[in-house]
Amino acid sequence: GSKFFQSGINMATFAADKAAKAATPAADNANAQAPAANVPKSDKPKVELYVFSYCPYGTQSEKGIIPAIKLLGSKIDFRIRQIGAMHGDHEKTEAQRQLCIEKQYPTKYLDYAQAFALDPLVSALFTKFGINKSTIDACMKSDGATLYSVEEANAQSKSIGGSPTLVINGVQSSAGRDSASYLAGICAAFNNAPAECSNYVRTCKEAE
């Protein structure tokens, strides 16, 4: 008699309620603008993924999109864009770290970002990918604040505050967060889609 339970769960409607909640936009993406229905086409699509570095929905999107990006390679212009920080100072620090890795080790950055999204153990990732900690620390000290401010101002100028927000050729896209959906969304933005787009479900599932 020492505990009082005030409410219960209606098991008859539990599954439907859970599905409805899952379909509701995540809190971290609450400020995102409604995605555009039509993304303009180009010969080399410009693809930007806006995230908070520690946002679970942002890291989910990175895990989904990076295999598609690696598949398309130089046929697109891709960047992960930092929005700012809403989860604490550690998020700002990681944003600056990733910007410095992108600057100092551009060929290793996507590998780092993908691995960080799976397990954010920075020291182990530095070792795994051969990233020199002293080089990154020096960059963060000299350029980190400036690189971060540029990214934050860019996101604000475009009224982007939701993580993740996918922008293709300057227009927000509604592509899903799995690799196949991301690839399909990007491939739709080509004037002439490359061969990598022809079997996007199979190739992206293999990449994952």
Side-chain angles (χ1 to χ4, degrees), residues 62-134:
E62 288 173 324
K63 287 185 285 187
I65 202 171
I66 290 175
I69 299 308
K70 289 182 175 179
L71 186 67
L72 292 169
S74 61
K75 294 178 181 178
I76 62 171
D77 178 9
F78 174 73
R79 276 199 72 191
I80 293 174
R81 307 301 303 259
Q82 302 294 333
I83 298 173
M86 68 170 290
H87 299 96
D89 290 341
H90 66 290
E91 187 162 61
K92 181 176 180 179
T93 298
E94 179 57 28
Q96 292 183 10
R97 182 181 293 116
Q98 291 199 22
L99 290 166
C100 278
I101 293 173
E102 183 183 33
K103 178 180 179 179
Q104 299 294 333
Y105 296 91
T107 61
K108 298 181 179 182
Y109 173 60
L110 285 184
D111 289 333
Y112 173 89
Q114 186 176 23
F116 180 87
L118 292 167
D119 186 2
L121 187 57
V122 173
S123 59
L125 297 180
F126 275 20
T127 300
K128 179 178 181 179
F129 298 116
I131 297 172
N132 186 283
K133 183 178 183 299
S134 297

Side-chain angles (χ1 to χ4, degrees), residues 130-150:
I131 297 172
N132 186 283
K133 183 178 183 299
S134 297
T135 299
I136 300 304
D137 287 346
C139 173
M140 291 174 68
K141 184 176 181 180
S142 61
D143 301 329
T146 299
L147 292 170
Y148 178 84
S149 295
V150 169

Side-chain angles (χ1 to χ4, degrees):
S2 62
K3 293 182 175 65
F4 172 65
F5 297 92
Q6 193 170 0
S7 64
I9 297 175
N10 186 340
M11 295 306 296
T13 61
F14 175 72
D17 292 343
K18 185 177 181 181
K21 289 180 180 178
T24 302
D28 277 333
N29 203 28
N31 295 323
Q33 298 175 4
N38 298 306
V39 172
K41 296 179 182 292
S42 65
D43 290 336
K44 186 175 183 177
K46 181 178 181 180
V47 182
E48 299 172 294
L49 180 67
Y50 287 79
V51 298
F52 293 113
S53 63
Y54 272 94
C55 168
Y57 308 106
T59 55
Q60 178 192 38
S61 67
E62 288 173 324
K63 287 185 285 187
I65 202 171
I66 290 175
I69 299 308
K70 289 182 175 179
L71 186 67
L72 292 169
S74 61
K75 294 178 181 178
I76 62 171
D77 178 9
F78 174 73
R79 276 199 72 191
I80 293 174
R81 307 301 303 259
Q82 302 294 333
I83 298 173
M86 68 170 290
H87 299 96
D89 290 341
H90 66 290
E91 187 162 61
K92 181 176 180 179
T93 298
E94 179 57 28
Q96 292 183 10
R97 182 181 293 116
Q98 291 199 22
L99 290 166
C100 278
I101 293 173
E102 183 183 33
K103 178 180 179 179
Q104 299 294 333
Y105 296 91
T107 61
K108 298 181 179 182
Y109 173 60
L110 285 184
D111 289 333
Y112 173 89
Q114 186 176 23
F116 180 87
L118 292 167
D119 186 2
L121 187 57
V122 173
S123 59
L125 297 180
F126 275 20
T127 300
K128 179 178 181 179
F129 298 116
I131 297 172
N132 186 283
K133 183 178 183 299
S134 297
T135 299
I136 300 304
D137 287 346
C139 173
M140 291 174 68
K141 184 176 181 180
S142 61
D143 301 329
T146 299
L147 292 170
Y148 178 84
S149 295
V150 169
E151 286 293 283
E152 192 174 36
N154 171 65
Q156 291 175 355
S157 71
K158 297 175 181 177
S159 300
I160 293 176
S163 174
T165 297
L166 178 66
V167 177
I168 303 177
N169 289 336
V171 176
Q172 289 189 29
S173 168
S174 59
R177 295 180 194 169
D178 61 283
S179 296
S181 295
Y182 272 132
L183 186 59
I186 296 169
C187 285
F190 280 97
N191 284 325
N192 296 293
E196 288 83 352
C197 294
S198 60
N199 292 315
Y200 64 87
V201 173
R202 178 180 60 80
T203 51
C204 265
K205 289 301 181 184
E206 289 174 355
E208 288 179 312

